[in-house]
Amino acid sequence: MASSFAPPPSRKGRGATANLESRFSAFRRESDETRHESDAAQECEVKFVTQVALENARTIISRNTSADIPFDRSINPYRGCEHGCTYCFARPTHAYLGLSPGLDFETRLYAKHNAAERLDAELRKRGYQPALLALGANTDPYQPIEREYGITRSVLEVLERFGHPVGITTKSALVTRDIDILSRMAARGLARVFISVGTLDADIARKMEPRANTPSRRIDAIRKLTDAGIPTGVIVAPIVPALTDFDIERVLTTAAEAGATYAAYVMLRLPREVHDVFVEWLEANYPLRARHVMSLVEQVRDGKHNSSEFGTRMKGTGLHAELIRQRFHLAARKLGLNQARPPLRNDQFRVPELPPRASDGNGPNHGRRARPDRQTATSGSANAADPQMPLF
């Protein structure tokens, strides 16, 4: 296994600059700088290889009662995310596994290979009532390893078979691979997709989201999805004051030209360990701008670096947050975004008479050869007046 403490050259293509300890760990580790100097002298490089463990999920539908999330159930096919976004609010969840929310979060991943099988069983339970099911509520369902494992596609196949509504949020153009399923579901009023684009600046995006698709590819994905008749929107997320907020209108305009009809935004959130990961990244990549960025973050978070209150945590508070809200509102109205949103349908839900063929749990790409840089292990374990359209 790769060292948890690697010299900076080994972090190329990764978002976090360090491997923070899990807050539940009873021990603390420190980097051995002498070893780094020795490795450098010998021209050695310690690489963080993406490792994937197969997880047997006991349940697959997660429930929530959040007052500011427009859905009460979701599915996350993967734990951790290889995109490596420095601001990802899901990073702290890796601490519950005894792993670091830093580099471990983007290099030590878990694939719920039996997700489709578990979903089929849960949808068959007596008394189940269909409602919007979100894909991408935590980690991205179309992160790079989805190409090998195909778990998200297998989940969509089950949802289509049951006639169950689904909303997808992703920053990957890989979602276009499943246009065949999504277009059929959309024709029945069962599917909607949101593409996350925080900025069109390729340099900022490459540093902040190192293994995510470029902004231009995401815009192209919006175009392909809408051309296929799939209702598609854009999420300007996260809005980072003094770093990406200049791009709000340009993102909305470009997305609308590509066919997007809905739009939403999310202010930068820095819960728990995300704060340290983001601040270290910011100081390493934008040292002259870091203090200004964090000063504005404090302005939209009541003098703090984060707030978790329902109703304000997604948008922030204060004068600067209100300015961003108005900018977003005016641009969306000018572009004709969020004018109408036909609700996804629940009346299509039917339990198939015959259960699907038993799955081996590895999705449609089972048997494909894994990429050489990955190691795999097995584990048991609204309306037009509203400035922001609800995601789904």
Side-chain angles (χ1 to χ4, degrees):
M1 183 177 298
S3 168
S4 293
F5 299 97
S10 70
R11 300 174 189 141
K12 182 177 180 181
R14 301 297 182 181
T17 60
N19 227 13
L20 307 177
E21 294 289 347
S22 164
R23 62 184 180 278
F24 301 110
S25 176
F27 302 96
R28 291 291 180 268
R29 295 172 293 176
E30 294 184 2
S31 177
D32 183 352
E33 299 300 331
T34 303
R35 178 190 169 189
H36 294 173
E37 295 173 0
S38 176
D39 286 346
Q42 299 180 46
E43 299 183 352
C44 295
E45 184 174 317
V46 181
K47 295 184 177 180
F48 276 79
V49 177
T50 300
Q51 302 173 71
V52 183
L54 301 182
E55 177 182 346
N56 288 309
R58 290 181 292 179
T59 61
I60 196 62
I61 298 180
S62 299
R63 306 277 180 165
N64 79 83
T65 56
S66 175
D68 54 3
I69 296 179
F71 53 84
D72 66 357
R73 66 201 70 183
S74 61
I75 290 179
N76 295 293
Y78 304 100
R79 296 183 192 268
C81 185
E82 196 176 4
H83 282 157
C85 303
T86 57
Y87 53 78
C88 182
F89 65 85
R91 283 183 177 273
T93 61
H94 244 47
Y96 292 102
L97 304 175
L99 299 174
S100 170
L103 288 165
D104 280 350
F105 177 80
E106 51 196 276
T107 60
R108 299 181 65 176
L109 314 178
Y110 293 81
K112 302 175 184 178
H113 66 123
N114 64 332
E117 175 186 339
R118 294 307 312 148
L119 177 60
D120 183 276
E122 291 178 33
L123 295 183
R124 290 178 181 277
K125 288 183 178 179
R126 185 183 300 274
Y128 177 83
Q129 295 297 317
L132 172 70
L133 193 152
L135 277 173
N138 201 39
T139 56
D140 201 309
Y142 286 101
Q143 59 179 286
I145 61 173
E146 166 65 14
R147 294 185 182 276
E148 284 91 42
Y149 291 90
I151 298 174
T152 298
R153 182 176 177 87
S154 67
V155 166
L156 288 177
E157 290 171 343
V158 173
L159 294 175
E160 181 186 21
R161 192 161 58 243
F162 278 79
H164 197 292
V166 63
I168 297 173
T169 302
T170 180
K171 55 171 53 70
S172 173
L174 181 58
V175 65
T176 59
R177 177 203 63 186
D178 296 335
I179 278 180
D180 56 336
I181 298 177
L182 292 172
S183 61
R184 292 194 300 266
M185 294 185 73
R188 300 169 59 190
L190 296 174
R192 182 174 289 126
V193 178
F194 273 85
I195 303 294
S196 175
V197 184
T199 178
L200 294 180
D201 188 308
D203 181 64
I204 294 177
R206 182 174 61 254
K207 293 176 181 177
M208 193 162 57
E209 308 158 338
R211 295 204 175 191
N213 286 150
T214 61
S216 60
R217 286 198 63 192
R218 296 180 227 175
I219 295 297
D220 186 55
I222 292 176
R223 183 175 295 106
K224 290 179 179 178
L225 291 167
T226 55
D227 287 347
I230 302 165
T232 307
V234 62
I235 305 179
V236 187
I239 293 178
V240 182
L243 186 62
T244 66
D245 56 356
F246 75 93
D247 231 358
I248 295 173
E249 292 83 0
R250 193 162 65 118
V251 170
L252 291 175
T253 299
T254 305
E257 291 173 349
T261 53
Y262 318 115
Y265 75 93
V266 178
M267 188 69 70
L268 175 69
R269 298 174 56 203
L270 299 174
R272 294 189 179 274
E273 293 93 342
V274 181
H275 172 270
D276 291 345
V277 171
F278 180 81
V279 171
E280 287 182 7
W281 170 87
L282 184 64
E283 292 175 344
N285 289 275
Y286 297 96
L288 300 181
R289 206 182 306 188
R291 290 184 64 183
H292 183 43
V293 170
M294 296 311 298
S295 174
L296 290 176
V297 168
E298 291 176 358
Q299 291 186 38
V300 302
R301 298 298 182 188
D302 295 323
K304 300 176 290 186
H305 287 171
N306 187 60
S307 59
S308 57
E309 292 78 11
F310 290 148
T312 61
R313 60 177 181 157
M314 300 296 187
K315 303 177 184 179
T317 58
L319 184 61
H320 192 74
E322 176 61 18
L323 176 62
I324 287 177
R325 188 196 71 82
Q326 291 188 20
R327 286 175 55 193
F328 181 91
H329 170 72
L330 292 173
R333 184 173 62 183
K334 179 180 178 181
L335 294 167
L337 297 169
N338 296 339
Q339 296 302 304
R341 183 189 61 162
L344 296 179
R345 300 177 60 179
N346 294 326
D347 61 340
Q348 297 279 311
F349 184 77
R350 299 289 185 277
V351 177
E353 293 184 4
L354 297 176
R357 181 179 177 183
S359 171
D360 62 4
N362 286 307
N365 294 322
H366 177 54
R368 287 184 54 182
R369 192 173 186 179
R371 282 170 52 178
D373 63 338
R374 295 200 172 96
Q375 298 174 4
T376 302
T378 301
S379 170
S381 51
N383 56 51
D386 190 343
Q388 172 165 308
M389 177 70 73
L391 299 189
F392 302 115

